C-alpha cells in the first residue's frame, strides 16, 4: 500500500499572443493528467500563462495479480488566465474542478475504473465515467464504458475482440448516445 502526495507549482509569465495566427491549437480535455501539464493548449499557436499549484494524492495497493489505484487532485490558481482561444473571456476561477479516479483489479482478468470531475463553483458534476473490462488468457477482450460530460456527452460503449482461431478474429463495437437517442 502506498500513499503518494504530489505538489506541482507552475509559473509561466503572461505574454500577449493576440497578433499571432491560430491554426490548430485547442485546449486539452481537463483530467487528472492535466493537473501536472505545463500548458493548457495543444499545438504551438498558443502558450498559456500560469501561476498555479496542483495538489493531489494517490494511493495504490499492489498485489501480484490484483491492485487498486485512487487519485484525487485539484489546481489552485493565483492569477486569472488571460490567454484564451476564440476571443473567450479570461478565466478568473480560484481553483479547478476536483478530479477523482479509481481503478480496481479484483482478479487477474477483470478490471473496473471510474472517474469524476466536480465543479464546486457550480455545484455540478462536470464529467463522469465508469468502465469494466475482461481480458481473457488467449487475447479475448470485452469492455463496457459509460461516459458523461455535462451538456455534451451521455453515452455507453461496448467493445468485443475475440480470436476465433489463428487466422480469424471477431471485432465488434456498439456506441449509443442517450443525448441523441441513437446508435
Amino acid at each position: 500500500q502506498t500513499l503518494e502526495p504530489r505538489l506541482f507549482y507552475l509559473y509561466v509569465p503572461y505574454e500577449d499572443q493576440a497578433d499571432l495566427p491560430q491554426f490548430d491549437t485547442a485546449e486539452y480535455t481537463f483530467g487528472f493528467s492535466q493537473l501536472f501539464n505545463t500548458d493548457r493548449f495543444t499545438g504551438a499557436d498558443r502558450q498559456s500563462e500560469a501561476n498555479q499549484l496542483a495538489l493531489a494524492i494517490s494511493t495504490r495497493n499492489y498485489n501480484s495479480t490484483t491492485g487498486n489505484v485512487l487519485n484525487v487532485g485539484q489546481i489552485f490558481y493565483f492569477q486569472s488566465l488571460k490567454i484564451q482561444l476564440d476571443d473567450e473571456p479570461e478565466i478568473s476561477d480560484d481553483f479547478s474542478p476536483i478530479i477523482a479516479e479509481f481503478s480496481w483489479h479484483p482478479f487477474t482478468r477483470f478490471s473496473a475504473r471510474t472517474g469524476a470531475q466536480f465543479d464546486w463553483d457550480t455545484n455540478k458534476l462536470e464529467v463522469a465515467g465508469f468502465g469494466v473490462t475482461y481480458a481473457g488468457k488467449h487475447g479475448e477482450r470485452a469492455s463496457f464504458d459509460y461516459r458523461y460530460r455535462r451538456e455534451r456527452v451521455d453515452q455507453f460503449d461496448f467493445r468485443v475482440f475475440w480470436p476465433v482461431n489463428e487466422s480469424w478474429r471477431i471485432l465488434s463495437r456498439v456506441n449509443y448516445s442517450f443525448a441523441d437517442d441513437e446508435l
Side-chain angles (χ1 to χ4, degrees):
Q1 183 76 39
T2 68
L3 185 62
E4 306 164 21
R6 293 176 73 179
L7 297 171
F8 180 70
Y9 177 74
L10 177 65
Y11 177 78
V12 179
Y14 171 77
E15 193 77 34
D16 186 10
Q17 300 168 40
D19 294 338
L20 300 175
Q22 182 179 321
F23 296 104
D24 61 354
T25 295
E27 198 161 352
Y28 282 110
T29 300
F30 188 68
F32 191 78
S33 63
Q34 274 304 106
L35 296 175
F36 311 103
N37 204 339
T38 57
D39 198 353
R40 292 186 349 260
F41 303 114
T42 65
D45 303 332
R46 293 291 179 271
Q47 299 296 311
S48 63
E49 80 280 24
N51 186 6
Q52 64 192 40
L53 176 67
L55 297 174
I57 192 157
S58 297
T59 181
R60 301 170 202 270
N61 179 325
Y62 292 105
N63 186 318
S64 61
T65 58
T66 64
N68 307 318
V69 178
L70 173 65
N71 298 313
V72 179
Q74 188 170 30
I75 297 175
F76 295 87
Y77 301 109
F78 302 121
Q79 70 183 35
S80 297
L81 302 174
K82 297 176 187 173
I83 299 171
Q84 298 298 321
L85 302 176
D86 302 324
D87 298 322
E88 292 180 13
E90 68 181 54
I91 299 172
S92 59
D93 295 340
D94 292 330
F95 45 83
S96 73
I98 192 164
I99 302 220
E101 298 176 339
F102 179 66
S103 64
W104 180 44
H105 300 274
F107 310 109
T108 304
R109 306 206 179 285
F110 177 79
S111 64
R113 65 214 154 271
T114 188
Q117 184 181 110
F118 187 81
D119 191 337
W120 295 104
D121 283 339
T122 62
N123 209 23
K124 293 184 178 175
L125 184 66
E126 294 291 325
V127 178
F130 171 78
V132 293
T133 299
Y134 169 78
K137 62 181 176 181
H138 301 293
E140 310 92 346
R141 273 184 90 76
S143 295
F144 173 84
D145 287 290
Y146 171 76
R147 291 181 288 278
Y148 170 81
R149 182 172 298 275
R150 191 165 59 87
E151 298 179 9
R152 288 190 270 181
V153 175
D154 188 8
Q155 65 185 13
F156 79 81
D157 192 58
F158 181 70
R159 298 173 308 283
V160 174
F161 174 80
W162 216 266
V164 177
N165 58 35
E166 290 295 319
S167 302
W168 290 90
R169 312 282 187 270
I170 295 173
L171 179 65
S172 177
R173 182 176 185 183
V174 175
N175 184 279
Y176 180 79
S177 170
F178 294 103
D180 301 323
D181 193 26
E182 66 180 43
L183 283 172

